[in-house]
Amino acid sequence: TFDRVIVSGGVSEIGPIFLDPIQEELRKNRYMSGAGKIDVVPSTFGRDIGLFGAAASFLERMKDGGGGV
């Protein structure tokens, strides 16, 4: 089980109007939530974290010979 869902990127900046409904749905779904409370929180890495992930993936592929790029 898990106790936290971290939302990243631009949607994380929308705040409670976006995050609260997600938390409510997780609370309703016993299969997903288990017995404990699940917090839905914005990432502390900022809105551009997806760009860092994409860059890391690109660099990894280039290191491995650039296949599939």
Side-chain angles (χ1 to χ4, degrees):
T1 64
F2 53 91
D3 62 0
R4 181 173 297 157
V5 173
I6 301 172
V7 180
S8 64
V11 296
S12 67
E13 295 176 358
I14 296 172
I17 198 165
F18 181 75
L19 301 176
D20 289 352
I22 296 171
Q23 189 165 7
E24 183 60 30
E25 286 301 315
L26 289 170
R27 202 175 286 130
K28 287 180 192 175
N29 188 336
R30 295 283 178 209
Y31 175 75
M32 290 292 293
S33 65
K37 179 182 179 228
I38 297 175
D39 292 319
V40 179
V41 298
S43 170
T44 59
F45 291 113
R47 73 177 300 142
D48 294 329
I49 193 64
L51 295 174
F52 292 113
S57 177
F58 174 77
L59 292 173
E60 189 66 29
R61 283 186 176 195
M62 297 313 302
K63 183 179 87 173
D64 294 338
V69 176

